[in-house]
């Protein structure tokens, strides 16, 4: 659930502190990041609080159980353990040496988080809006849980959870995100993706089509080639179940599916609900009818055993996740098949792309067309109330609430998705440049190279050394040139900004010999506009760093130096 006001106050004040401190950190240069971080975080006794540091990371969406922080967290535990036996040390407080030792192993992700390089840099601004959308959906009491088996009919209509995981592993949870529930139809795109990952799309689509059926999800119907219309409806999912690791014995096939789902979820919660499976199997007349109809029409691979296939399909539907583990699965799909929380490459990117395409057109039962129109994102829902939503290259979201609408989709889940794209420009066809009414939480990761050039050149022209340091720290190429071949160094030299020229040369190692389209170097510009101090800096640096062409260039420079210093 969302924060109480006190928590919120605490959170906002620490975020403010963080932002102000970060500015200072960046403006004092880019070297010795760990030390600057220590200076920024330490108190008057030169100690850093472990909790304060962890809170700071959490503000960015990074959890302390993230695998990328393993070494740091282990060292924190060791420090706490040691402090238990040493009464002179303040528990949870670290001196400089201890702090540097703890953070150094994981400094890559720590600096990425703290220098706003995650895909959603201002994570709290984003999640504050998510809080509001979540709260709005609490009041939606439409629909009721699925009634066809007692295990689902007993679902609590009040349960409502939303979990988010970005492609950089930033996490956020609201409501009931730790309660297991069955994937049901949400397993269909996952079965399809795993099948595609193993067999090629050509092989898989010999057995199943790619068209929306225009019929109900469990309709007894095939397409014009006598294939199930797509893998998101029951007929298609039963066929893809028959393809999944078809060479193995059934027990190993089940183990394979469980292991792969576990990998997709970054080793988070994936279990099997046997009573749901037994209920599914006991009430499966329609699915058996579909199975026999498809066998009659030669829809299965020749070696498939019908009853075994159907049972496997029911078992897959009875696999449980939580909203949290489901969000990681969704994020793995958003991230092209690589799990963002473990770095495990589970699926190839083509399998993911094909899966997302079919989720987009067929994932939300008979509401799929309207969903694609209104939300414009790939999603899949299931009758236990789960909705898996993918925002490609950005994040995965899993919502869970048992009451279903007339189409069999979670009422709150659909409302959440619709509100989401009303607030953020996440719809596939939202224009990212001109959709001004919507908020875009994406950071510079999606900014174009052209925008990078403008930012760097503009700051160099204005003499904004703080901004230049920030861009350098963010890993931008500081030698980028515009259409005319003008670089930041040219502009800083032409404007006489000595500190920027020094920064670009000494810290960023940009090439001082780079020429613009009129064959001018930065030195030529400094000279032309009578900034002799800057011209001297450039010449001396050029002398120390000649171009590979060598001697001639140095002699040339020597000539220029003589001229500049009036030496004959
Ligand atoms: N086990 C259900 C069936 O095959 C799946 C229902 C669903 O989530 O669509 O009928």
């Amino acid at each position: 659930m969302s924060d109480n006001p006190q928590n919120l106050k605490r959170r906002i004040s620490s975020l403010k502190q963080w932002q102000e401190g970060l500015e200072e950190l960046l403006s004092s240069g880019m070297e010795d990041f760990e030390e600057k971080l220590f200076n920024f975080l330490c108190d008057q006794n030169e100690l850093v609080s472990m909790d304060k540091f962890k809170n700071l990371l959490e503000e960015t969406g990074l959890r302390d159980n993230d695998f990328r922080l393993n070494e740091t967290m282990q060292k924190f535990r060791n420090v706490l353990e040691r402090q238990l036996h040493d009464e002179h040390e303040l528990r949870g407080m670290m001196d400089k040496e201890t702090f540097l030792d703890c953070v150094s192993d994981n400094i890559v992700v720590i600096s990425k988080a703290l220098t706003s390089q995650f895909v959603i840099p201002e994570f709290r601004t984003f999640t504050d809006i998510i809080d509001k959308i979540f709260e709005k959906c609490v009041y939606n009491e439409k629909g009721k849980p699925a009634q066809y088996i007692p295990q689902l009919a007993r679902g609590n209509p009040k349960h409502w959870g939303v979990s988010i995981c970005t492609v950089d592993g930033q996490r956020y949870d609201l409501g009931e995100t730790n309660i297991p529930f069955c994937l049901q139809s949400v397993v269909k795109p996952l079965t399809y993706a795993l099948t595609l990952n193993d067999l090629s799309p050509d092989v898989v689509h010999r057995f199943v089509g790619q068209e929306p059926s225009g019929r109900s999800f469990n309709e007894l119907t095939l397409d014009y080639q006598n294939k199930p219309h797509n893998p998101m409806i029951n007929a298609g999912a039963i066929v893809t179940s028959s393809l999944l690791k078809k060479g193995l014995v059934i027990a190993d096939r089940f183990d394979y599916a469980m292991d792969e789902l576990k990998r997709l979820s970054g080793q988070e919660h994936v279990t099997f609900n046997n009573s749901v499976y037994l209920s599914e199997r006991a009430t499966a007349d329609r699915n058996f009818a579909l199975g026999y109809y498809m066998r009659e029409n030669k829809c299965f691979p020749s070696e498939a055993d019908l009853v075994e296939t159907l049972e496997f399909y029911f078992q897959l539907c009875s696999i449980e996740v939580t909203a949290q583990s489901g969000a990681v699965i969704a994020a793995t799909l958003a991230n092209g098949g690589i799990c963002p929380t473990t770095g495990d490459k589970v699926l190839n990117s083509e399998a993911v792309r094909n899966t997302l395409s079919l989720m987009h057109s067929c994932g939300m039962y008979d509401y799929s067309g309207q969903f694609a129109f209104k939300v414009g994102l790939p999603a899949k829902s299931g009758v236990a109330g789960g909705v898996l939503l993918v925002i490609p290259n950005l994040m995965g979201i899993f919502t869970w609430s048992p009451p279903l609408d007339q189409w069999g989709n979670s009422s709150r889940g659909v409302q959440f998705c619709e509100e989401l794209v009303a607030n953020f420009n996440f719809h596939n066809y939202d224009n990212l440049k001109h959709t001004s009414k919507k908020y875009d939480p994406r950071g510079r990761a999606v900014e174009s190279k052209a925008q990078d050039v403008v930012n760097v050149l503009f700051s160099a022209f204005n003499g904004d050394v703080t901004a230049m340091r920030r861009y350098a720290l963010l890993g931008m190429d500081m030698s980028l040139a515009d259409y005319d071949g003008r670089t930041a160094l040219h502009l800083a030299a032409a404007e006489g900004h000595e500190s920027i020229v020094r920064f670009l040369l000494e810290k960023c190692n940009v090439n001082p010999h780079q020429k613009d389209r009129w064959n001018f170097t930065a030195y030529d510009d400094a000279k032309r506009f009578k900034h002799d101090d800057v011209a001297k800096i450039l010449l001396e640096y050029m002398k120390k760093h000649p171009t590979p062409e060598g001697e001639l260039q140095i002699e040339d420079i020597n000539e220029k130096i003589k001229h500049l210093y009036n030496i004959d």
Side-chain angles (χ1 to χ4, degrees):
M1 284 288 175
S2 61
D3 278 331
N4 64 41
Q6 223 167 351
N7 265 349
L8 194 68
K9 237 164 80 201
R10 212 176 18 238
R11 206 179 72 186
I12 287 173
S13 84
S14 89
L15 186 62
K16 247 198 189 134
Q17 274 177 6
W18 169 56
Q19 283 168 330
E20 284 163 8
L22 190 66
E23 280 301 315
E24 212 178 287
L25 190 72
L26 297 181
S27 63
S28 58
M30 56 187 284
E31 69 284 2
D32 305 329
F33 184 82
E34 289 106 310
E35 284 202 23
K36 296 222 167 73
L37 192 57
F38 176 82
N39 292 336
F40 164 50
L41 290 172
C42 72
D43 58 16
Q44 62 276 29
N45 301 320
E46 300 277 296
L47 295 172
V48 165
S49 150
M50 226 175 250
D51 286 341
K52 192 171 157 189
F53 178 68
K54 284 202 229 168
N55 288 343
L56 193 60
L57 289 181
E58 208 181 301
E59 292 291 305
T60 71
L62 199 59
R63 294 258 161 97
D64 57 15
N65 61 357
D66 191 296
F67 87 107
R68 294 165 295 180
L69 289 172
N70 276 352
E71 288 77 7
T72 296
M73 292 303 149
Q74 186 52 50
K75 284 188 174 167
F76 280 0
R77 283 191 288 274
N78 296 346
V79 170
L80 288 175
E81 175 76 31
R82 202 185 61 220
Q83 288 176 340
L84 268 183
H85 309 290
D86 184 345
E87 72 220 27
H88 301 298
E89 279 200 69
L90 270 173
R91 202 165 148 69
M93 301 301 286
M94 298 172 285
D95 61 16
K96 188 167 180 175
E97 197 186 336
T98 312
F99 178 78
L100 296 190
D101 177 49
C102 289
V103 300
S104 62
D105 286 332
N106 301 130
I107 197 64
V108 173
V109 71
I110 292 168
S111 62
K112 194 171 174 187
L114 299 182
T115 57
S116 313
Q117 287 187 73
F118 279 156
V119 69
I120 302 211
E122 288 179 32
F123 199 57
R124 288 300 164 215
T125 313
F126 168 71
T127 58
D128 285 347
I129 302 176
I130 295 292
D131 287 351
K132 294 201 182 95
I133 301 177
F134 177 86
E135 292 294 340
K136 225 169 156 178
C137 299
V138 171
Y139 302 104
N140 178 351
E141 291 185 342
K142 291 192 200 126
K144 56 179 183 185
Q147 300 293 308
Y148 73 97
I149 54 172
Q151 283 69 23
L152 293 182
R154 286 197 288 264
N156 182 345
K158 296 227 173 303
H159 278 163
W160 171 223
V162 171
S163 184
I164 295 177
C165 176
T166 73
V167 294
D168 278 325
Q170 296 164 279
R171 309 287 298 266
Y172 193 60
D173 303 313
L174 285 167
E176 279 81 35
T177 58
N178 246 328
I179 302 176
F181 54 89
C182 286
L183 281 169
Q184 289 289 357
S185 274
V186 180
V187 86
K188 288 170 178 159
L190 308 177
T191 310
Y192 172 61
L194 291 173
T195 311
L196 280 180
N197 201 47
D198 195 33
L199 309 168
S200 70
D202 287 349
V203 174
V204 174
H205 286 288
R206 250 182 254 151
F207 296 92
V208 62
Q210 290 119 325
E211 296 296 334
S213 69
R215 306 281 185 85
S216 161
F217 74 104
N218 61 0
E219 188 105 355
L220 209 64
T221 178
L222 296 172
D223 69 10
Y224 70 105
Q225 291 177 307
N226 269 356
K227 293 194 281 196
H229 287 82
N230 66 68
M232 304 298 143
I233 55 172
N234 282 20
I238 293 169
V239 165
T240 49
S241 305
S242 79
L243 295 171
L244 185 61
K245 284 285 167 201
K246 60 185 166 61
L248 301 181
V249 297
I250 191 67
D252 289 343
R253 294 172 68 197
F254 180 76
D255 280 346
Y256 175 79
M258 287 295 278
D259 288 349
E260 293 304 288
L261 289 176
K262 195 98 183 146
R263 286 178 68 199
L264 286 168
S265 75
Q267 304 300 323
E268 293 190 18
H269 188 106
V270 177
T271 46
F272 176 67
N273 186 325
N274 196 43
S275 52
V276 170
Y277 163 65
L278 294 171
S279 272
E280 287 287 341
R281 195 178 60 172
T283 55
D285 288 351
R286 173 55 66 99
N287 286 324
F288 272 98
L290 271 174
Y292 284 111
Y293 179 58
M294 289 196 289
R295 189 167 73 177
E296 183 192 17
N297 283 283
K298 313 235 170 329
C299 295
F300 293 108
S302 54
E303 62 269 49
D305 176 289
L306 180 61
V307 174
E308 199 175 87
T309 297
L310 285 163
E311 285 175 350
F312 187 35
Y313 165 74
F314 305 141
Q315 285 158 8
L316 293 172
C317 290
S318 309
I319 291 174
E320 288 184 327
V321 296
T322 62
Q324 289 187 27
S325 61
V328 181
I329 295 178
T332 303
L333 296 179
N335 199 33
I338 300 172
C339 178
T341 64
T342 58
D344 186 6
K345 184 171 165 69
V346 192
L347 297 168
N348 67 58
S349 53
E350 197 191 355
V352 173
R353 192 195 61 201
N354 292 338
T355 304
L356 296 181
S357 298
L358 291 184
M359 284 168 65
H360 185 88
S361 54
C362 315
M364 299 295 282
Y365 301 113
D366 288 353
Y367 191 70
S368 297
Q370 286 187 68
F371 191 88
F373 181 80
K374 290 186 189 168
V375 178
L377 289 170
K380 184 72 198 88
S381 65
V383 287
V387 177
L388 179 152
L389 180 75
V390 178
I391 306 166
N393 305 304
L394 188 57
M395 69 177 77
I397 300 182
F398 210 111
T399 71
W400 175 60
S401 182
L404 307 179
D405 63 18
Q406 65 189 102
W407 292 279
N409 296 311
S410 161
S411 302
R412 291 192 182 104
V414 170
Q415 186 190 352
F416 182 88
C417 297
E418 293 181 357
E419 297 275 355
L420 187 77
V421 295
N423 282 274
F424 300 101
N425 58 0
F426 291 165
H427 189 296
N428 197 21
Y429 302 115
D430 269 333
N431 185 291
L432 297 184
K433 274 195 194 152
H434 309 300
T435 313
S436 55
K437 279 196 213 130
K438 295 190 188 182
Y439 173 53
D440 186 354
R442 280 167 275 229
R444 60 163 310 280
V446 295
E447 276 183 13
S448 66
K449 194 167 169 184
Q451 190 60 46
D452 283 355
V453 178
V454 171
N455 289 341
V456 173
L457 265 53
F458 190 74
S459 308
F461 175 80
N462 282 312
D464 187 346
V465 76
T466 307
M468 295 298 280
R469 284 188 173 123
R470 192 203 324 263
Y471 294 137
L473 199 57
L474 287 171
M476 274 193 202
D477 179 357
M478 302 302 281
S479 60
L480 284 174
D482 72 4
Y483 178 79
D484 291 324
R486 308 280 294 156
T487 64
L489 192 65
H490 281 99
L491 295 186
E495 294 300 318
H497 296 313
E498 193 181 315
S499 54
I500 293 204
V501 169
R502 280 192 192 283
F503 175 72
L504 287 167
L505 294 173
E506 289 157 15
K507 303 286 182 208
C508 309
N509 302 323
V510 301
N511 175 8
H513 304 280
Q514 203 161 318
K515 291 179 175 158
D516 66 14
R517 71 188 282 198
W518 299 280
N519 251 345
F520 290 129
T521 61
Y523 161 78
D524 297 327
D525 280 1
K527 204 65 198 96
R528 271 197 300 156
F529 296 104
K530 310 211 180 324
H531 301 299
D532 285 353
D533 289 349
V534 173
K536 279 177 197 164
I537 295 168
L538 280 158
L539 266 185
E540 273 158 23
Y541 188 85
M542 285 160 92
K543 190 172 180 191
K544 275 195 229 137
H545 301 84
T547 54
E549 287 100 76
E551 294 297 297
L552 218 161
Q553 185 88 25
I554 290 178
E555 278 164 17
D556 192 30
I557 293 168
N558 279 336
E559 265 315 297
K560 284 181 177 170
I561 287 180
K562 276 189 199 162
H563 181 71
L564 194 66
Y565 286 83
N566 296 321
I567 309 167
D568 285 322

